[in-house]
């Protein structure tokens, strides 16, 4: 129970900002590491290339006498080789004479100059450590022809990695400083974009607050496509709820007003005891009709895009089977024509009320046959009920409450009135006409919610 309020406290903006920060951090870290490694590899390769150039310099200045002894000059084009402890050191190992030449720069030091482990004609680039220092080392082995013999030489050049490390460290500080600054700017830009992008939701929330306070009646603003569906749905719910409340208030008002007359008749009948039983029976029946009609209006679901789809064929079949039992003594033939997969967004109770009243009214007037059908057209859901009775003579008054075509036919005169109210609540159309069976036809068209 305690976790839900905590989770609900996070705003969409905070979640998106946190998610963006985490993604940006991961991206920046990955990109920074990749760039740093690429730069380090590039700088290292450049250092190795310079060291290899120094090896070529040694190779060009090296000489061997007739006995195969190594002879090196005192000075080189690379001045650091002549400066003691300059950080650049060179050595040549003569495998024939077992002698090692070291550059003057190695005076007082023992840099890790190779004497073996290098294949002839092959370069060996490596990072070595000695005396608490790290060195970038390049070695190359050759065979020098002296007369009839080949003298193996191993030329090595090493450089203190301090300069390399400083260059890498300087680049790393600059790189992470720029990436950090770019990350902060991107987060600020993201925050501004989120405020701009989520502003319509804030306006929707403000409008809902004004609706709750009664300052306005619906969401009136113009919103982006992603939110317009939400605002349209909220407006539909608001209108539907207000229509439902209006129907209920109207039904209660009509109920109170309609019951005044039967109650007055009963009050007057108390003064005439002989007429009281008949008056009570008549007026109670009338009040029952009034209550049924007004309750039917009050509980009408009305058009709703959020109503679950209802399969029309099973409802039509249940009404048909029920009425076949009720009017078994008339031996009526009830037929129902409806596609098996036809469904419609409508309250199931409303659909039962419409079909039940229409088919019940048709059965009261039919001589032999009642036919009901349902189909979907471009206009919407079309319901038709036909009978082979006398048909309608006054299509306007028959839709009014307590009006019957023939007083000899049992009924309360409220069925078609209830259907008319239900169809109106669904913004539909009800038409009375003469049908193909020779009697009356009631056609109802319910548009999409």
């Amino acid at each position: 129970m305690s976790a839900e309020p905590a989770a609900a406290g996070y705003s969409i903006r905070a979640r998106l900002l946190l998610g963006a920060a985490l993604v940006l951090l991961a991206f920046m870290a990955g990109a920074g590491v990749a760039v740093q490694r690429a730069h380090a590899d590039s700088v290292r390769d450049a250092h190795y290339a310079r060291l290899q150039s120094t090896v070529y310099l040694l190779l060009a200045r090296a000489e061997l006498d007739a006995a195969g002894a190594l002879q090196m000059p005192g000075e080189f084009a690379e001045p650091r080789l002549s400066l003691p402890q300059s950080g650049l050191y060179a050595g040549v190992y003569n495998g024939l004479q077992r002698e090692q030449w070291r550059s003057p720069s190695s005076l007082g030091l023992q840099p890790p100059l190779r004497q073996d482990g290098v294949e002839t004609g092959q370069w060996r680039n490596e990072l070595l450590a000695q005396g608490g220092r790290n060195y970038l080392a390049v070695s190359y082995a050759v065979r020098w022809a002296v007369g009839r013999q080949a003298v193996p030489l191993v030329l090595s050049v090493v450089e203190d990695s301090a300069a390399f490390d400083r260059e890498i460290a300087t680049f790393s500080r600059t790189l992470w400083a720029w990436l950090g600054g770019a990350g902060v700017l991107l987060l600020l830009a993201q925050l501004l974009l989120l405020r701009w992008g989520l502003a319509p939701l804030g306006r929707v929330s403000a409008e809902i607050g004004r609706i709750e306070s009664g300052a306005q009646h619906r969401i009136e603003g113009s919103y982006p496509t992603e939110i317009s569906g939400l605002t349209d749905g909220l407006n539909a719910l608001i209108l539907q709820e207000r229509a439902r409340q209006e129907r209920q208030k109207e039904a209660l008002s009509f109920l109170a007003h309609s019951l005044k007359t039967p109650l007055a008749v009963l009050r007057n009948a108390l003064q005439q005891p002989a007429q009281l039983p008949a008056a009570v029976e008549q007026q109670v029946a009338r009040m029952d009709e009034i209550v049924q009609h007004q309750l039917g209006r009050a509980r009408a679901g009305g058009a709703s895009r959020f109503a679950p789809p209802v399969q029309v064929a099973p409802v039509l079949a249940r009404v048909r089977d029920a009425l076949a039992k009720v009017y078994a003594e008339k031996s009526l033939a009830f037929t129902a024509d409806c596609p098996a997969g036809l469904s419609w967004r409508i309250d199931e109770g409303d659909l039962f009320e419409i079909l039940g009243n229409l088919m019940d009214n048709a059965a009261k007037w039919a001589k032999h046959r009642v036919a009901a059908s349902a189909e979907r057209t471009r206009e919407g859901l079309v319901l038709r009920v036909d009978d082979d009775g006398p048909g309608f003579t006054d299509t306007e008054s028959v839709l009014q409450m307590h009006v019957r075509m023939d007083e000899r036919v049992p009924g309360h005169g409220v069925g078609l009135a209830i259907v008319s109210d239900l169809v109106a609540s669904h913004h539909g159309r009800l038409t009375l006409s003469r049908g193909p069976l020779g009697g009356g036809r009631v056609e109802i068209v319910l548009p999409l919610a």
Side-chain angles (χ1 to χ4, degrees):
M1 296 294 293
S2 61
E4 292 185 2
Y10 289 106
S11 66
I12 295 178
R13 182 182 302 167
R15 292 185 180 189
L16 290 177
L17 191 60
L18 178 61
L22 293 176
V23 172
L24 185 61
L25 178 63
F27 173 78
M28 289 293 187
V33 170
V35 172
Q36 188 175 10
R37 289 183 177 179
H39 176 262
D41 292 341
S42 176
V43 173
R44 186 181 296 108
D45 291 341
H47 277 262
Y48 282 140
R50 289 199 297 269
L51 296 180
Q52 289 177 0
S53 299
T54 306
V55 170
Y56 285 126
L57 176 63
L58 294 177
L59 192 59
R61 300 298 302 275
E63 295 290 343
L64 293 177
D65 59 16
L70 181 63
Q71 296 180 357
M72 297 295 293
E75 295 182 357
F76 296 90
E78 172 58 66
R80 289 194 300 167
L81 291 178
S82 302
L83 182 63
Q85 301 185 14
S86 63
L88 181 65
Y89 314 104
V92 180
Y93 178 73
N94 187 341
L96 179 63
Q97 299 291 336
R98 304 290 181 178
E99 59 178 337
Q100 172 79 52
W101 174 87
R102 296 177 185 273
S103 65
S105 59
S106 62
L107 182 65
L109 293 176
Q110 291 294 326
L113 299 172
R114 277 199 170 272
Q115 298 180 353
D116 54 16
V118 183
E119 297 291 335
T120 301
Q122 299 294 323
W123 289 99
R124 180 162 182 168
N125 302 333
E126 54 192 334
L127 181 64
L128 302 176
Q130 185 168 310
R133 295 185 180 183
N134 294 324
Y135 298 90
L136 296 174
V138 171
S139 302
Y140 186 70
V142 297
R143 288 189 175 274
W144 198 293
V146 178
R148 295 183 178 182
Q149 59 182 352
V151 179
L153 299 179
V154 177
L155 299 93
S156 299
V157 177
V158 298
E159 183 181 27
D160 195 320
S161 65
F164 169 77
D165 294 337
R166 283 194 301 271
E167 185 175 355
I168 296 298
T170 300
F171 178 83
S172 297
R173 286 193 301 270
T174 304
L175 172 65
W176 291 112
W178 278 100
L179 285 178
V184 172
L185 291 177
L186 286 175
L187 284 178
L188 291 176
Q190 180 73 14
L191 178 60
L192 295 177
L193 287 174
L194 286 176
R195 291 186 60 182
W196 175 69
L198 297 178
L201 290 179
R203 296 203 304 271
V204 170
S205 178
E207 288 206 60
I208 292 175
R210 290 195 291 271
I211 292 173
E212 292 176 347
S213 64
Q216 64 185 61
H217 300 290
R218 63 191 301 274
I219 297 176
E220 300 173 348
S222 177
Y223 293 98
T225 305
E226 294 80 3
I227 303 179
S228 60
L230 172 65
T231 56
D232 292 345
L234 289 175
N235 280 334
L237 284 175
I238 292 171
L239 293 176
Q240 180 183 346
E241 182 59 27
R242 284 182 177 160
R244 190 192 305 274
Q245 293 177 358
E246 192 65 28
R247 283 196 304 272
Q248 292 174 353
K249 289 171 60 178
E250 186 178 322
L252 291 175
S253 177
F254 286 164
L255 183 61
H257 180 75
S258 302
L259 289 178
K260 288 181 179 180
T261 301
L263 290 175
V265 173
L266 289 176
R267 190 178 294 109
N268 293 332
L270 291 175
Q271 308 299 326
Q272 302 175 359
Q275 300 178 4
L276 184 60
V280 169
E281 181 179 1
Q282 181 183 10
Q283 297 306 316
V284 167
R286 184 178 180 186
M287 285 190 289
D288 181 57
E289 297 166 5
I290 293 172
V291 170
Q292 288 185 24
H293 176 63
Q294 298 302 338
L295 289 180
R297 293 182 62 187
R299 65 172 176 262
S304 174
R305 70 174 69 178
F306 305 104
V310 175
Q311 295 292 325
V312 179
V315 175
L316 189 58
R318 287 173 60 183
V319 173
R320 176 200 62 195
D321 296 342
L323 291 178
K325 297 177 182 178
V326 172
Y327 293 95
E329 59 183 20
K330 294 183 66 173
S331 300
L332 296 177
F334 289 88
T335 60
D337 181 18
C338 178
L342 177 60
S343 63
W344 198 255
R345 290 188 179 275
I346 185 174
D347 182 79
E348 190 176 34
D350 288 1
L351 185 59
F352 268 110
E353 195 81 18
I354 292 173
L355 291 175
N357 279 294
L358 289 183
M359 295 180 69
D360 180 60
N361 184 76
K364 291 172 183 177
W365 295 95
K367 298 176 182 178
H368 305 289
R369 186 180 175 192
V370 174
S373 65
E375 65 174 336
R376 181 169 186 164
T377 67
R378 292 182 177 179
E379 294 184 279
L381 178 64
V382 180
L383 303 174
R384 297 187 185 92
V385 176
D386 298 296
D387 62 72
D388 58 355
F392 300 105
T393 57
D394 187 352
T395 59
E396 293 184 3
S397 61
V398 75
L399 295 178
Q400 300 176 7
M401 187 176 177
H402 304 306
V403 174
R404 288 181 281 170
M405 298 299 297
D406 189 342
E407 294 295 330
R408 294 171 297 177
V409 177
H412 303 303
V414 298
L416 287 180
I418 291 176
V419 171
S420 179
D421 287 340
L422 283 171
V423 172
S425 70
H426 285 270
H427 312 294
R429 184 178 74 247
L430 186 150
T431 305
L432 303 179
S433 61
R434 182 165 295 278
L437 299 182
R441 159 172 280 192
V442 181
E443 180 178 274
I444 292 174
V445 179
L446 300 179
L448 285 170

